[in-house]
Amino acid sequence: MNGKCKKPDRYKSNLPSTSVIICFHNEAWSVLLRTVHSVIDRSPAHLLKEIILVDDFSDMPHLKRQLEEYMTMYPKVKIIRAAKREGLIRARLIGAKHATAPVLTYLDSHCECTVGWLEPLLDRIGHDTKTVVCPVIDVLDDTTLEYHWRDSSGVNVGGFDWNLQFNWHALPEREKKRHSNSAEPVYSPTMAGGLFSIDKNFFELLGTYDSGFDIWGGENLELSFKTWMCGGTLEIVPCSHVGHIFRKRSPYKWRSGVNVLKKNSIRLAKVWMDDYAKYYFQRIGNEFGDYGDISSRLELRKRLKCKSFKWYLDNVYPELFIPGESVAQGEVRNNAFSGRYCLDSPARKGDTHKAVGLYPCHKMGGNQYWLMSKYGEIRRDEMCVDYAGSDVFLFPCHGSKGNQLWFYKPEEKLIQHGSSKKCLAISENKKKLQMESCNSKVLRQQWRFENFNATALLVT
Ligand code: UDP
Ligand code: MN
């Protein structure tokens, strides 16, 4: 542990107590018990008011009588059962309703809390009830179940991209400057979602979660945005470590037929993101479907006099690339082969060296949605089209031009690479992208970049 975390006078003496809320749906026995025991064993008794287990309509037999009988040995543990499958978001709200301590602490059902995890979280809320705090989340290996401790001196903070997907990034310079040592809590634009503590009254003031959100997803961004926009702060506390099993795929059934995450994200964008919502909507082809009634959430925002999304971006997340500051947005369509093919890549942030390929144009955004920045990058959020002499691939944007600089000439329709001066083309067998000596007469080198506006370009 970071030595500075251990200083005895580091935390307030009269910390508020907490209810720890753990929702589960068909969790394995040993994994759930590991979570509960780590909380009981590693939380100071006077700070742990109760543990509320919310069973989200599981059908595994060990989670019924067996669990109840086992937990009679631990009077602090209460089991609440949902009458139908509620999904994680409403299950958390059920837990909150039964909680009696001033602070709510949420954990997933596959965690391990470490020694000293709780005090630094409660200390922040003890100082200011509008501070929402997250521990550093370590990895519990999903095959060996081993705890991988990560040194938190180089802690990451939460962000998001315009697909409204959460991501991690390095602590920005401006935030480093605010601190004198690595044990101090850091501001985070967003939270990962499952593991955090919040003052119960503040959570209620913020209107808890949007109960129109289904099953899973988007609720972490909702709570993050409104925490910041409505007068609070969101922090990651390097002295608090909790391990979490990251599973490769979701082990439980989702409601079929509806895209739950998309519906949640549409509600999120419509309520909180003002004019910036359009960047997300473009990525889903401006197809909304039925996202339910949001009027009460809009009223909530008005009643709390929350700040604008622009304020949030300018002050809390200035590192985020704003698509509106780009010179082209949309598909990049080739003129050869009857104009059927578009630039396409399934890469997401963090996938380095993903090849950029071709696919029949589908007009649904997603993997065919590209942006040209005013600095001549062809971007997918934080990833940039890059050419280093062999294949064309996506690489995290580095902002120093070089292999990520491209020139688009709308008259000739060529996409020319900055450092090699070659032009982007479809191969003759139309299977892949390749770089060729520029020749504007070759159809395979001609591209139409949607919504291109040369006047905004800062490179020529
Ligand atoms: N969960 C739940 N009901 C659901 C889905 C999930 O109670 O319909 C619980 C799940 O058991 C876990 C927590 O919510 O404790 C978070 O889900 P998960 O771990 O799958 O999310 P992830 O960590 O992958 O984001
Ligand atoms: Mn989880």
Side-chain angles (χ1 to χ4, degrees), residues 52-86:
I52 300 176
L53 298 179
V54 183
D55 171 14
D56 187 12
F57 210 58
S58 304
D59 46 30
M60 290 179 164
H62 65 256
L63 298 169
K64 304 293 163 191
R65 274 244 335 252
Q66 188 182 333
L67 184 68
E68 272 159 34
E69 282 170 7
Y70 184 91
M71 290 302 171
T72 55
M73 292 187 286
Y74 303 95
K76 279 193 181 173
V77 179
K78 298 175 186 159
I79 302 174
I80 315 281
R81 303 208 188 259
K84 59 173 175 25
R85 174 82 180 275
E86 295 287 358

Side-chain angles (χ1 to χ4, degrees), residues 10 122 148 183 306:
R10 190 169 177 89
L122 297 178
H148 291 289
C306 304

Side-chain angles (χ1 to χ4, degrees), residues 108-119:
D108 277 7
S109 48
H110 32 259
C111 288
E112 180 184 325
C113 302
T114 63
V115 173
W117 75 288
L118 187 59
E119 298 91 324

Side-chain angles (χ1 to χ4, degrees), residues 23-25 27 56 85 87-88 108-110 215-216 244 247 252:
C23 303
F24 62 91
H25 177 74
E27 191 60 84
D56 187 12
R85 174 82 180 275
L88 146 74
D108 277 7
S109 48
H110 32 259
I215 309 278
W216 180 98
H244 169 262
R247 283 177 285 208
Y252 33 75

